[in-house]
Amino acid sequence: HIDLPAELPMIQYRGFSTSGLKNINIPDTTDIYDEAFRYCFNLTEITFPKYLISIAPGVCYNCENLETVHTYENLLYIGGQAFAYCKNLKDIYLPSKTPVKLLGSDDVFEGLGYITHRIKIHVPNDFELMAQYYFNTDNGWVNYLWSDLNPNGILELVNDL
C-alpha cells in the first residue's frame, strides 16, 4: 500500500506505468495525467483525489487485477480507455449527485465484453439520478448498463451510497 505525500502536485504521463503498485491513495491536491497507472498488473485498488473532476484517459489501462475504484463527489468525467482491459474490475464507487459522463464512451471499458461478471457501479440512492444513468444517451452509460433492454450489459447500477 502506498500513500503519496500530500504536497505531490501531479502524477505525470505514465508516472507509475508498469510499476508493482498494489493499492494507492492519491493526495487530494494531485492532478493525474493520462495513462499514469497503465499496465500496473498488481494494482487491485485505487482511490482518486477528493477534488478530481476528471479521470484521465487510459489512467488504469490494462490494470488486469484492478478490482475496486473509489472516487468522490466532485468527479464529472471519466476519460476514454480509463478502465480498458481491467478484466477483474468489480466495483466503482461514484458518489457524485450528478451522472458522471463517459468521454470516449465507446471505449472507457474497452476489452471487457467477454467478462463473466457484472461490474457494480455504486451511486447515491436517488431515483432521478438512476434514471439519468439509464436513459440519458448523452452521458455514455447506456451502452454498458445491464437491463432488460440490454441483457449483455457489463455494468450494474447499485444505489447504495
Side-chain angles (χ1 to χ4, degrees), residues 1-4 11 15-26 36-46 59 63 65-66:
H1 176 84
I2 292 182
D3 287 314
L4 297 175
I11 298 173
F16 285 98
S17 182
T18 69
S19 73
L21 285 175
K22 191 163 175 103
N23 57 44
I24 186 167
N25 286 327
I26 303 165
F37 303 101
R38 179 183 177 104
Y39 296 115
C40 285
F41 298 124
N42 296 324
L43 187 65
T44 59
E45 185 171 358
I46 188 166
V59 73
C63 292
N65 289 305
L66 183 64

Side-chain angles (χ1 to χ4, degrees), residues 50-55 71-79 94 96-103 133 139 141:
K50 189 176 198 174
Y51 300 109
L52 192 72
I53 60 168
S54 182
I55 293 177
T71 68
Y72 288 92
E73 296 85 6
N74 294 319
L75 188 68
L76 299 174
Y77 308 102
I78 298 176
L94 299 175
S96 176
K97 301 285 190 221
T98 58
V100 175
K101 185 172 184 172
L102 301 180
L103 303 175
Y133 272 105
N139 65 27
W141 291 93

Side-chain angles (χ1 to χ4, degrees), residues 55-158:
I55 293 177
V59 73
C60 291
Y61 184 94
N62 206 12
C63 292
E64 61 184 32
N65 289 305
L66 183 64
E67 293 180 1
T68 308
V69 174
H70 298 276
T71 68
Y72 288 92
E73 296 85 6
N74 294 319
L75 188 68
L76 299 174
Y77 308 102
I78 298 176
Q81 295 186 328
F83 303 111
Y85 301 98
C86 294
K87 65 182 180 184
N88 288 302
L89 191 56
K90 292 177 178 56
D91 295 285
I92 300 176
Y93 293 87
L94 299 175
S96 176
K97 301 285 190 221
T98 58
V100 175
K101 185 172 184 172
L102 301 180
L103 303 175
S105 62
D106 290 340
D107 65 359
V108 171
F109 299 101
E110 179 181 323
L112 298 182
Y114 64 90
I115 61 173
T116 58
H117 66 280
R118 288 196 192 99
I119 301 165
K120 292 181 179 169
I121 307 297
H122 300 268
V123 298
N125 189 0
D126 179 325
F127 179 78
E128 287 185 31
L129 178 65
M130 296 282 288
Q132 289 179 45
Y133 272 105
Y134 274 113
F135 301 114
N136 182 349
T137 57
D138 292 338
N139 65 27
W141 291 93
V142 293
N143 296 331
Y144 296 111
L145 288 173
W146 173 84
S147 70
D148 290 339
L149 299 174
N150 187 15
N152 295 321
I154 62 168
L155 305 179
E156 177 183 353
L157 277 184
V158 180

